[in-house]
């Protein structure tokens, strides 16, 4: 089981990691299928607090839009891998992730 | 929109980023310079929400473009920071405006923006080179001090600040503390010249109940109060020799014995000491312990007097005027050429503190008027007064003038030291020290 979090704003990837209002969190089973999904509200949290929350949730992978150097450091410090600068809607993006074809800087829909 | 498409070529040729959006904030136009600044291509940007491409922290809370569209207005010259496609923060200067059709209906908005990186980095460089925390100066000597402070502050080394009265040793000590890893700990100042020897010892090291007649409870000393932080020993050259030994023990062993105690107290304190005397010379005269001098002066910083850095006078005047305006919420006072000239020609025996007092004096008297010479303290317009207080470095004649000025001021204020110090524009401690030097203390023959 693996957990992936996506910065989400109105069903699309939120433009900045540190101002994202919420994360869409996906549990992915060993067959690469989504077994569970839920939303975590992180409004008002700092980037460090957001990252700490992801650690507590057991998230191993993050998909986001822009991520400042400071935010990237927080993620790396906690061994959370990430794909950044992604634009598009969350459903399409998670589908690309599951296919294994998602790359940093991609604009999807 | 048709009009804007017709203008694509023109807008692509201007050195300003421009994009337009419809009423739903979807990007409809994106020029070449916008591509260069954001790092996103036109193909990537068109059809996206503007906040997905022009990424700022204000987007979700205080979007200027949305506001311009909703209020049918134009907002000019806003400073903002975007995160480009390389995840680098780029400062920008933006102007936003609503777009209307021929009938005056809102069809969207347009945003133009300039890369402000050069200006912002220049501003940072200027700010950084002209000040260290609250200490201000552009003279080479003071900038060298800033360099040393920047290096020394984050370490735990003890620091000795040397400089005349009023040069800003207190500010420097505070700045070192604020820039150190101890900044969240206490900053405790002790003026070693202001307390009699016995009292100074109990103030610094505290005492145990019963240590002396009035010691009814345990009292922690300033060293204990400074635990985890910094203790600032002002005028350390005035510390009695027997206390110097006790201070040496704290520096060496990081422990001391409070008065009346047989158990040592351990402390983790950084010591910053300051003096307006030549401590090295005092060690030769046995007025100051040589071993203590070397322990305190791990880093020795000499703060130059204001008369040796006259190029800082206009900068400091501007700084004090701005500070005054900020505190009072008023517009900054302007100064006349004569006012500035008079201040530039003064030699400031009281250094930066004296200049600050002069500005405060002038600002209060001037009200909302421009600062002119008539608002300066009288002694500046009658140079004899200030020359007299410039003493200490003026040879026998200078010493005599200083003694006369002190005596006159004390007599004319009924030997009230506070009043006399104010009239002479020096602080009470300096007055007391100079009175001592000239045998003008009460009870001494004058």
């Amino acid at each position: 089981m693996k957990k992936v979090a996506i910065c989400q704003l109105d069903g699309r990837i939120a433009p900045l990691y540190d101002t994202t209002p919420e994360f869409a969190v996906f549990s992915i089973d060993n067959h690469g299928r989504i077994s569970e999904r839920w939303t975590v509200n992180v409004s008002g949290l700092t980037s460090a607090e957001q990252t700490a929350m992801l650690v507590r949730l057991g998230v191993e992978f993050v998909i986001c839009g822009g991520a400042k150097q400071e935010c990237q450091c927080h993620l790396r410090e906690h061994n959370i891998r990430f794909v950044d600068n992604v634009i598009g809607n969350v459903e399409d993006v998670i589908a690309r992730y599951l296919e294994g074809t998602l790359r940093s800087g991609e604009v999807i829909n | 929109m048709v009009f804007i498409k017709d203008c694509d070529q023109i807008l692509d040729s201007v050195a300003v980023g421009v994009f337009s959006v419809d009423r739903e904030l979807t990007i409809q136009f994106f020029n070449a310079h916008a591509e260069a600044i954001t790092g996103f291509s036109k193909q990537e940007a068109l059809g996206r929400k503007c906040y997905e491409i022009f990424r700022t922290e204000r987007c979700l809370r205080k979007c200027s473009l949305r506001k311009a569209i909703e209020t049918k207005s134009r907002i000019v010259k806003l400073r903002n920071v975007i995160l480009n496609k390389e995840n680098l923060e780029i400062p920008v200067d933006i102007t936003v405006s609503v777009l209307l059709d021929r009938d005056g209906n809102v069809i969207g908005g347009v945003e133009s923006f300039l890369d402000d990186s050069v200006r912002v980095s220049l501003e940072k460089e200027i700010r950084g080179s002209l000040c260290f925390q609250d200490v201000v100066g552009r003279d080479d000597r003071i900038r060298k001090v800033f360099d040393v402070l920047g290096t020394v502050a984050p370490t735990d080394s003890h620091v000795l600040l040397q400089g005349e009265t009023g040069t800003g040793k207190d500010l420097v000590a505070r700045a070192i503390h604020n820039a150190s890893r101890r900044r969240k700990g206490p900053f405790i100042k002790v003026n070693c010249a202001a307390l009699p020897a016995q009292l100074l010892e109990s103030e610094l090291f505290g005492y145990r109940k019963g240590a002396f007649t009035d010691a009814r409870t345990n009292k922690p000393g300033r060293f204990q109060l400074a635990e985890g932080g910094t203790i600032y020993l002002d005028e350390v050259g005035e510390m009695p020799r027997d206390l110097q030994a006790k201070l040496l023990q704290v520096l060496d062993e990081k422990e001391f014995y409070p008065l009346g105690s047989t158990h040592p107290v351990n402390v983790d304190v950084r010591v910053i000491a300051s003096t307006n005397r030549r401590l090295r010379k005092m060690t030769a005269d046995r007025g100051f312990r040589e071993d203590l001098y070397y322990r305190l002066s791990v880093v020795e910083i000499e703060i130059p007097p204001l008369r040796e850095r006259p190029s800082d006078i206009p900068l400091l005047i501007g700084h004090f005027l701005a500070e005054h305006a900020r505190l009072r919420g008023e517009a900054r006072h302007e100064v006349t050429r004569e006012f500035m000239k008079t201040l530039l020609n003064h030699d400031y025996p009281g250094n930066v503190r004296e200049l600050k007092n002069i500005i405060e004096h002038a600002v209060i008297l001037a009200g909302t008027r421009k600062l002119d010479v008539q608002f300066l303290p009288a002694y500046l317009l009658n140079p004899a007064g200030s020359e007299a207080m410039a003493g200490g470095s003026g040879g026998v004649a200078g010493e005599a003038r200083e003694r006369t000025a002190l005596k006159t001021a004390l007599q004319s204020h009924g030997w009230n030291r506070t009043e006399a110090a104010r009239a002479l524009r020096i602080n009470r401690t300096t007055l007391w020290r100079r009175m001592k030097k000239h045998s003008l203390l009460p009870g001494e023959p004058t």
Side-chain angles (χ1 to χ4, degrees):
Chain A
M1 191 74 78
K2 180 178 183 181
K3 283 181 186 153
V4 175
I6 301 184
C7 296
Q8 178 174 259
L9 171 70
D10 297 334
R12 292 182 66 79
I13 306 288
L16 295 173
Y17 176 82
D18 54 342
T19 60
T20 187
E22 59 189 24
F23 284 103
V25 184
F26 298 83
S27 286
I28 296 167
D29 66 21
N30 297 335
H31 304 290
R33 289 180 303 228
I34 296 170
S35 60
E36 198 182 357
R37 82 178 272 176
W38 70 98
T39 304
V40 180
N41 187 321
V42 288
S43 304
L45 296 189
T46 64
S47 149
E49 290 167 341
Q50 283 177 14
T51 311
M53 177 176 278
L54 295 181
V55 172
R56 282 199 297 277
L57 292 171
V59 169
E60 296 166 46
F61 200 92
V62 163
I63 301 169
C64 59
K68 293 177 190 164
Q69 302 300 319
E70 172 196 340
C71 306
Q72 295 182 27
C73 287
H74 292 146
L75 291 167
R76 289 195 182 101
E77 271 170 26
H78 293 287
N79 287 324
I80 297 177
R81 290 182 299 131
F82 59 92
V83 167
D84 61 350
N85 278 322
V86 178
I87 295 175
N89 78 71
V90 171
E91 303 306 324
D92 295 332
V93 169
I94 191 71
R96 289 285 298 275
Y97 171 77
L98 294 174
E99 283 170 21
T101 56
L102 184 68
R103 303 280 176 268
S104 279
E106 281 210 67
V107 180
I108 306 161
N109 292 330
Chain B
M1 282 306 132
V2 173
F3 170 75
I4 288 193
K5 280 180 182 165
D6 291 343
C7 293
D8 279 9
Q9 214 177 333
I10 300 171
L11 290 173
D12 271 344
S13 68
V14 297
V16 179
V18 181
F19 69 85
S20 71
V21 295
D22 62 16
R23 294 172 64 165
E24 280 71 47
L25 302 178
T26 304
I27 297 176
Q28 303 293 319
F29 172 81
F30 202 73
N31 81 342
H33 213 71
E35 290 183 297
I37 296 174
T38 63
F40 287 100
S41 69
K42 189 174 288 189
Q43 288 70 31
E44 287 171 327
L46 293 177
R48 311 286 158 216
K49 298 290 183 191
C50 61
Y51 51 76
E52 292 183 312
I53 302 295
F54 197 77
R55 306 180 298 192
T56 83
E57 286 187 355
R58 295 170 63 102
C59 286
L60 305 185
R61 294 175 292 110
K62 292 179 182 173
C63 174
S64 312
L65 195 49
R66 190 193 303 272
K67 187 178 172 191
I69 292 171
E70 285 171 358
T71 58
K72 288 191 177 184
S73 61
R74 183 164 188 256
I75 301 166
V76 290
K77 292 282 178 195
L78 266 179
R79 294 178 88 167
N80 210 337
V81 178
I82 62 165
L83 197 68
N84 74 3
K85 200 178 174 183
E86 303 297 315
N87 281 332
L88 298 175
E89 291 177 80
I90 312 286
V92 287
D93 204 4
I94 67 173
T95 297
V96 294
S97 182
V98 66
L99 282 175
L100 304 172
D101 66 14
R102 289 179 186 189
D103 300 323
N105 301 312
V106 176
I107 53 172
V110 61
E111 179 155 338
S112 59
F113 52 102
L114 277 168
D115 184 339
D116 218 11
S117 306
V118 174
R119 181 168 75 169
V120 169
S121 67
L122 276 173
E123 282 174 354
K124 274 188 189 164
E125 195 176 319
I126 291 166
R127 259 202 313 274
S129 63
L130 296 184
C131 62
F132 183 89
Q133 307 260 343
D134 291 330
V135 191
V136 177
R138 68 153 65 92
D139 179 87
D140 282 350
R141 285 184 64 189
I142 201 79
R143 285 171 72 162
K144 276 180 192 156
V145 171
F146 294 165
D147 288 344
V148 176
L149 291 179
T151 312
V152 167
T155 72
D156 248 356
S157 302
H158 302 315
V159 179
L160 178 63
L161 305 172
Q162 301 249 25
E164 293 178 9
T165 297
T167 45
K169 298 186 289 292
D170 286 23
L171 274 181
V172 171
R174 170 70 71 173
I176 292 172
H177 172 75
N178 288 345
S180 75
R181 69 172 180 84
R182 295 172 177 270
R183 61 184 167 276
K184 287 183 181 165
F187 177 83
I188 304 285
K189 179 185 169 181
V190 182
N191 187 328
C192 303
L195 297 168
Q198 189 64 27
L199 200 52
L200 181 60
E201 181 173 5
S202 64
E203 274 300 311
L204 283 175
F205 304 108
Y207 52 78
R208 289 288 176 267
K209 183 180 174 183
F212 46 87
T213 314
D214 288 333
R216 296 193 177 92
T217 54
N218 292 341
K219 187 194 170 196
R222 302 282 181 99
F223 266 97
Q224 267 173 289
L225 296 176
E227 173 67 25
T230 305
I231 190 164
Y232 171 44
L233 303 176
D234 190 17
E235 307 221 35
V236 74
E238 310 301 320
M239 184 180 276
R241 243 186 112 82
D242 53 338
L243 258 187
Q244 291 175 22
K246 205 160 177 177
L247 175 58
L248 184 65
Q249 185 195 7
V250 186
L251 300 181
D252 278 342
E253 316 286 340
K254 296 190 187 304
E255 65 175 30
F256 62 88
Y257 291 85
L259 279 170
S261 173
T262 51
H263 299 290
V265 172
N266 294 308
V267 282
D268 169 28
V269 170
R270 182 187 203 176
V271 177
I272 300 176
S274 79
T275 179
N276 52 16
R277 302 177 68 176
R278 292 282 143 198
L279 277 198
R280 189 189 289 272
K281 187 172 177 296
M282 284 177 71
T283 60
D285 303 339
R286 303 193 58 76
F288 200 82
R289 289 180 66 118
E290 191 174 12
D291 44 6
L292 178 59
Y293 168 72
Y294 286 112
R295 295 291 284 125
L296 283 175
S297 61
V298 177
V299 178
E300 194 170 332
I301 298 174
E302 173 84 34
I303 305 171
L306 189 53
R307 66 177 172 280
E308 290 178 15
R309 49 183 184 111
S311 63
D312 281 348
I313 295 171
L315 180 74
L316 285 163
I317 292 172
H319 172 72
F320 293 138
L321 287 175
E323 190 180 66
H324 191 273
R326 184 176 57 80
L327 289 175
R328 293 203 164 200
E330 296 170 353
R332 200 175 114 159
H333 281 81
E334 289 182 22
V335 301
T336 65
R337 185 188 287 267
E338 275 305 304
F339 181 90
M340 183 63 84
K341 195 173 153 190
T342 309
L343 291 184
L344 283 169
N345 285 332
H346 184 52
D347 60 0
Y348 299 96
N351 286 297
V352 180
R353 187 189 293 125
E354 183 184 0
L355 176 60
K356 186 178 182 186
N357 290 344
I358 291 170
I359 296 297
E360 194 175 333
H361 177 104
V363 161
I364 289 166
L365 290 188
T368 54
R369 289 169 288 179
K370 201 171 186 177
L371 299 187
D372 202 353
V373 282
Q374 73 203 77
F375 304 121
L376 288 170
Y379 77 92
L380 277 177
L381 306 173
N382 169 22
S386 62
E387 272 174 23
M389 283 315 297
S393 56
V396 176
E399 294 284 314
R401 275 202 305 273
E402 182 176 274
R403 190 175 196 282
T404 307
L406 285 171
K407 198 172 163 186
T408 307
L410 285 162
Q411 282 173 339
S412 60
H413 290 91
W415 290 82
N416 180 319
R417 286 187 223 169
T418 305
E419 293 295 318
R422 189 173 296 144
L424 292 166
R425 311 199 72 78
I426 56 179
N427 67 30
R428 283 186 75 238
T429 313
T430 306
L431 174 69
W432 181 82
R433 202 177 51 251
R434 292 189 185 180
M435 285 169 68
K436 196 174 163 189
K437 183 173 91 177
H438 292 290
S439 304
L440 286 171
L441 292 174
E444 291 188 81
T446 59

